[in-house]
Amino acid sequence: MPVDRYSKDVLTPGWQKAHLKKTSDVQVELDLVVEFDDFCGAVVGWENGIVLLEDRRGKRRGAPFGPGFLLEGKPVALRPPLRGGSTKPKYTASGSRASTEPAKAKVALPSRIYVEGRHDAELIEKVWGADLRHVGVVVEYLGGIDDLPAIVAEFAPEPGRRLGVLVDHLVPGSKESRIAKQVYQGGYRDTVLIEGHEFIDIWQAVKPQRIGRKAWPSVPRDVDFKLGTLEALNLPHADQADIARGWQAILARVSSWRDLEPQLNTKVETLIDFVTQDHLADD
């Protein structure tokens, strides 16, 4: 049969855009990860026609509603949520999607997470408490890193009974790193995971912008970090009671993972994954 190569007019309306991918409308929602003008981030809010994105490093950028976004590599136009439409999904303080159904009580897993420092434990509970209860992981208070080898030996970790540990100032050459090495050399490398951040104290894991500063104050090594920080912030700094009140004021500024430095978020999520990985098949 003869081939008719000229039955179609290549200059019919729309030929200029025929090769382009079509843009689809997507209703905006929190934590939706999109790209805009070479910036990739999660949606953290929207107001007055502007969508606010935040990348993994905590950097934020605003972009107007409408076309120009990429979702999983495909062009989309972000649209405001419809009024009276479906209920906006709810999320926990750690960013996990919260269930709309009442959660059933769970038996605690044999695995545990130990957190060094009372302030550290309070911060973990505020941001990740709902997630930890959902998976049945109990967080224990670790009074000091010096106690860790004895705690690990008494806990006797094994497959299905893992131990995760979060400590302050875990940097090369520190006391914390030496004790972590001691634990691993005791034969627990497969069942114990020790994670730590580089901050001198958990206070610095809170973004300084949340207390109205560009950076946390620098405290001399011969000065107690917490008291020195409070003094630099022009807050009462005479005793332990002042430290407690100061920390509660800082903690009150934290409402979710977005108020924390990405480094801490990564460490905590890694620990939760580690202590629950033996139990995923049971869910």
Side-chain angles (χ1 to χ4, degrees), residues 109-111 157-162 191 275 278-279:
L109 295 181
S111 300
E158 59 184 10
R161 180 181 166 83
R162 293 168 176 259
T191 53
V275 299
D278 292 335
H279 311 280

Side-chain angles (χ1 to χ4, degrees), residues 109 111-116 120 124 128 132 135 137-140 142 148 162-168 170 184 191-197 263-279:
L109 295 181
S111 300
R112 293 284 187 273
I113 292 178
Y114 272 78
V115 177
E116 182 191 14
D120 307 57
I124 299 305
W128 284 275
L132 291 166
V135 295
V137 173
V138 174
V139 173
E140 302 278 0
L142 175 63
L148 184 57
R162 293 168 176 259
L163 187 61
V165 185
L166 180 69
V167 300
D168 290 336
L170 187 63
Y184 287 143
T191 53
V192 176
L193 178 63
I194 303 172
E195 290 283 359
H197 48 74
Q263 180 187 148
L264 179 65
N265 294 327
T266 300
K267 300 297 184 183
V268 176
E269 296 289 347
T270 299
L271 287 173
I272 295 175
D273 290 343
F274 177 79
V275 299
T276 58
Q277 67 182 47
D278 292 335
H279 311 280

Side-chain angles (χ1 to χ4, degrees), residues 161-182:
R161 180 181 166 83
R162 293 168 176 259
L163 187 61
V165 185
L166 180 69
V167 300
D168 290 336
H169 203 227
L170 187 63
V171 297
S174 66
K175 177 180 73 172
E176 288 79 6
S177 66
R178 291 194 297 272
I179 292 177
K181 182 178 180 180
Q182 177 185 344

Side-chain angles (χ1 to χ4, degrees), residues 50-72:
I50 298 296
V51 180
L52 186 60
L53 306 177
E54 182 177 287
D55 67 11
R56 292 184 177 183
R57 298 179 179 84
K59 184 178 179 181
R60 295 191 173 192
R61 179 172 177 179
F65 275 113
F69 295 90
L70 289 178
L71 176 61
E72 297 181 351

Side-chain angles (χ1 to χ4, degrees), residues 220-242:
R221 291 189 176 183
D222 59 344
V223 176
D224 180 271
F225 173 79
K226 293 183 174 70
L227 293 176
T229 298
L230 293 175
E231 182 179 10
L233 297 176
N234 296 317
L235 295 173
H237 54 279
D239 51 26
Q240 187 63 38
D242 287 336

